[in-house]
Amino acid sequence: MRLLVVEDDKDINRQLVSALEQAGYAVDSAHDGEQGWFLGDTEPYDAVVLDIGLPKKDGLSVLEEWRRAGRTMPVLILTARDRWSDKVQGFDAGADDYVAKPFHMEEVLARLRALLRRATGHSTNELTCGSVRLDTKSGRVVVAGQAVKLTSHEYRLLAYLMHHMGRIVSRTELVEHLYDQDFDRDSNTVEVFIGRLRKKLGVDVIETVRGLGYRLDPDAAP
Ligand code: CA
């Protein structure tokens, strides 16, 4: 999953980016409303953390423009604690959730997990596909009852496929949702990671759909 953080406070921005990366997400960040708007308008993020008070373009305008342009990604807004009107205006502008500052990082992470699972049609942190179980809270992956250790890239790839199980996911889509914008993207690396995942999970877990991409079968035998 790939996220965007738009926050002008340098410390908060850095803390958010590092906590989200540590939680297994690919993260891009912007420090003003114009840059944030542009990234959210041009890149396919799975969710966005958007501060309301931003230089160059305020967060509410950024959000309204995204929604007007048909950008539907989940957006979590950061509001000042005593500004209830920010929350009302934020929801009316198209926000999906909010966290008031100062916030606990655990709360931001939990709310993002909830937004991501809701956006992909899941109701719990634990995703199951055949014999594979992935817990998006702990980052643990279990295959047939045995814990499996994945690298951060392998985890990100599996988490994306698990969130979208049943659907064919193209290589291009994977590249767009697994790497941040500074990453040297080479779509061939996706095949390498798929190969490594198959070695760790069992060869028949990830199906290759010739010419189209990859698919996890939610009805596969456990
Ligand atoms: Ca701010």
Side-chain angles (χ1 to χ4, degrees):
M1 298 296 204
R2 182 175 170 206
L3 309 180
L4 171 65
V5 171
V6 189
E7 165 62 76
D8 58 316
D9 183 302
K10 282 201 178 72
D11 288 336
I12 299 177
N13 190 307
R14 196 170 39 230
Q15 286 161 14
L16 279 165
V17 170
S18 100
L20 294 173
E21 283 178 344
Q22 203 134 37
Y25 302 106
V27 187
D28 290 339
S29 79
H31 292 82
D32 65 63
E34 267 174 23
Q35 190 198 5
W37 166 81
F38 177 76
L39 284 173
D41 199 53
T42 49
E43 299 288 331
Y45 294 105
D46 295 295
V48 177
V49 179
L50 176 67
D51 186 30
I52 292 297
L54 289 169
K56 296 193 184 172
K57 189 192 268 288
D58 70 273
L60 288 175
S61 306
V62 170
L63 183 51
E64 273 166 2
E65 286 185 34
W66 283 340
R67 295 316 193 208
R68 254 204 310 278
R71 313 290 300 178
T72 59
M73 67 286 198
V75 174
L76 174 79
I77 53 172
L78 301 177
T79 66
R81 179 154 309 270
D82 51 349
R83 291 284 300 273
W84 65 269
S85 57
D86 276 0
K87 296 166 200 164
V88 174
Q89 287 180 300
F91 280 118
D92 284 338
D96 298 278
D97 201 357
Y98 76 92
V99 170
K101 290 185 189 175
F103 53 77
H104 291 281
M105 198 56 79
E106 280 305 315
E107 183 180 353
V108 173
L109 291 170
R111 287 182 182 276
L112 282 171
R113 281 194 296 273
L115 288 177
L116 290 168
R117 68 180 182 240
R118 228 174 286 148
T120 52
H122 299 279
S123 54
T124 65
N125 286 329
E126 195 170 276
L127 306 176
T128 304
C129 181
S131 58
V132 181
R133 262 191 302 135
L134 180 145
D135 185 334
T136 59
K137 180 167 185 241
S138 63
R140 268 168 59 89
V141 175
V142 172
V143 179
Q146 296 285 315
V148 175
K149 233 178 131 44
L150 300 181
T151 65
S152 59
H153 271 88
E154 291 164 358
Y155 176 83
R156 213 180 282 165
L157 173 56
L158 181 64
Y160 192 82
L161 289 172
M162 293 283 283
H163 275 92
H164 296 277
M165 69 180 98
R167 181 162 79 68
I168 298 170
V169 178
S170 72
R171 212 167 293 152
T172 310
E173 179 178 343
L174 283 173
V175 170
E176 285 179 335
H177 289 268
L178 299 183
Y179 304 123
D180 60 59
Q181 59 171 348
D182 299 328
F183 195 86
D184 180 20
R185 295 176 194 189
D186 175 355
S187 67
N188 288 324
T189 62
V190 168
E191 285 166 62
V192 174
F193 287 118
I194 291 274
R196 288 183 196 162
L197 265 183
R198 280 179 171 147
K199 267 194 200 124
K200 293 186 180 181
L201 306 178
V203 281
D204 49 358
V205 171
I206 303 169
E207 180 191 347
T208 299
V209 184
R210 202 175 281 275
L212 296 176
Y214 304 98
R215 195 175 85 107
L216 284 186
D217 182 1
D219 302 320

